[in-house]
Amino acid sequence: MASWVFSECGLKPFPTIYTQHRTGLGCTNKNKPTKIRFLRENVDSCLLRSSRGRNWGLRVSAPITFETFNEEDNVGDKVYGSNGVPEEDEFDPGAAPPFNLSDIRAAIPKHCFVKNAWRSMSYVVRDIFVVFGLATMAAHFNNWFVWPLYWFAQGTMFWALFVLGHDCGHGSFSNNSKLNSVVGHLLHSSILVPYHGWRISHRTHHQNHGHVENDESWHPVPKRIFNLMDDTGKRFRFTLPFPMLAYPFYLWIRSPGKKGSHYDPNSDLFFPSERKDVITSTVCWTAMAALLVGLCFVAGPVQMLKLYGIPYWIFVMWLDFVTYLHHHGHDDKLPWYRGKEWTYLRGGLTTLDRDYGWINNIHHDIGTHVVHHLFPQIPHYHLIEATEAAKPVFGKYYREAEKSGPLPFHLLGILIKSFKQDHYVSDTGDVVYYQADPKLSGIQK
């Protein structure tokens, strides 16, 4: 199934169609003078260090430089309707915004960038306590009324552990890189995620978000590649629940069109200076896998399947569900960029906030995603305040999240609709939108 899900072309190898830009710095328009600014706050000073250095704690961040736009930069940008007549008053989500990254940062209170290691650790202690408490109760009662409730609850808690490890990878957990590494390894290894391998590829995602070719995960397929896919490949790629089970395979073989593995220190994903980090994470992952095998001999494979195996796959579905909806499924199509049109800011503005009801607190407000993508240094417990402060600057570029009930059942319909409509993007153009294949749209009916 892995090759079907990730090759996007059935069992055929997925051709490489671009060169990956490892630095993540966007192209600027050579026909127009570019204004360069540096982020001067202390929290961003780490960005001036080499991306190949050993101080990796805060490297998932905004690029060192970025293109800025004034109101005059958008003069002449027009939106054309189906009749070819300019629609002056219609909002164009693909147009360059009339604000820059510094404007957003200035609107966010400075304390939102401050990390409190003790507060971060309190969430770790809370989540670990809940995980062991749930497992103890499920094993004690051991009946088929309790197990389904346990699987959903424990799978959700595994997802919460991942989010805290995700904060460690961004450096938003604390200012201590060693603490981030230790906690990140403990949390991610416990749910079979190679911490450094994932951290580095996730850094690539943040540095290239919204770029058709260079984004790391859930990036679109150009039409010419889509047309090469056989029916089986399309069904596994666009038919639920298969895409929601993709994460473990992504860790092994990466995204379509990209070579390498998160476990291999020689993978194209990593710089030579990161080799020891990747080996460390792979060793930790292997140790956890060995522990689980040992527990199967002690408690029995069926009991371990119920206690750990099924919750693990619930966690995988949470991860794929949440990360996909951060970048897909809005009623108004979201732009994807190529070439000179892509900038760090414009790519970040294509992300979406989502409301998960009661789950918001459990998974540490990861649904508050737009500000997180632009400023991943902000701790999760400041994201809501930072977003509220930034909304006046965002204007129409911020898409208000639809309010959820206690559980986010409304997002299931959005997910299904997106997989029916978001199939490929045009082979040409620097600002493109998802298009639907008429035949594929009927596959899930």
Side-chain angles (χ1 to χ4, degrees), residues 305-317:
L305 176 66
K306 292 188 292 186
L307 283 172
Y308 186 92
I310 296 177
Y312 169 79
W313 284 104
I314 298 295
F315 146 66
V316 167
M317 287 190 283

Side-chain angles (χ1 to χ4, degrees), residues 162-213:
F162 177 89
V163 175
L164 291 177
H166 158 272
D167 285 1
C168 293
H170 280 298
S172 60
F173 187 86
S174 77
N175 288 320
N176 187 322
S177 62
K178 291 183 178 179
L179 177 63
N180 294 338
S181 181
V182 170
V183 174
H185 274 101
L186 289 174
L187 295 176
H188 275 193
S189 298
S190 70
I191 50 176
L192 296 178
V193 176
Y195 172 67
H196 280 312
W198 164 84
R199 174 186 63 80
I200 294 166
S201 72
H202 191 64
R203 175 186 69 200
T204 302
H205 167 58
H206 267 260
Q207 291 177 337
N208 296 279
H209 46 212
H211 195 289
V212 173
E213 285 85 18

Side-chain angles (χ1 to χ4, degrees), residues 268-421:
D268 291 342
L269 270 168
F270 313 121
F271 292 116
S273 62
E274 296 164 332
R275 177 181 174 84
K276 291 183 179 179
D277 287 341
V278 176
I279 292 174
T280 298
S281 296
T282 301
V283 169
C284 290
W285 183 96
T286 304
M288 181 62 191
L291 175 62
L292 292 173
V293 172
L295 289 174
C296 285
F297 285 101
V298 174
V302 174
Q303 187 73 349
M304 285 304 298
L305 176 66
K306 292 188 292 186
L307 283 172
Y308 186 92
I310 296 177
Y312 169 79
W313 284 104
I314 298 295
F315 146 66
V316 167
M317 287 190 283
W318 265 118
L319 188 151
D320 286 320
F321 177 71
V322 172
T323 56
Y324 180 88
L325 288 178
H326 282 161
H327 305 276
H328 300 79
H330 196 266
D331 288 337
D332 300 323
K333 294 290 186 179
L334 300 176
W336 288 79
Y337 300 100
R338 293 186 177 103
K340 66 182 182 180
E341 292 295 336
W342 182 89
T343 66
Y344 181 85
L345 174 60
R346 293 173 78 177
L349 292 175
T350 66
T351 61
L352 297 166
D353 281 5
R354 298 291 188 183
D355 183 20
Y356 293 89
W358 289 346
I359 309 297
N360 286 334
N361 180 264
I362 295 173
H363 70 186
H364 309 292
D365 292 313
I366 193 63
T368 311
H369 205 65
V370 179
V371 163
H372 165 70
H373 248 280
L374 295 175
F375 303 103
Q377 313 95 335
I378 297 178
H380 73 264
Y381 41 84
H382 291 320
L383 285 175
I384 293 177
E385 180 183 0
T387 298
E388 291 300 319
K391 281 182 183 180
V393 179
F394 287 142
K396 291 184 178 180
Y397 286 89
Y398 179 81
R399 301 156 186 92
E400 196 75 41
E402 182 181 350
K403 294 300 180 182
S404 173
L407 295 175
F409 292 118
H410 71 290
L411 293 177
L412 294 175
I414 295 174
L415 182 74
I416 294 170
K417 181 180 178 182
S418 178
F419 274 106
K420 287 184 177 182
Q421 295 183 351

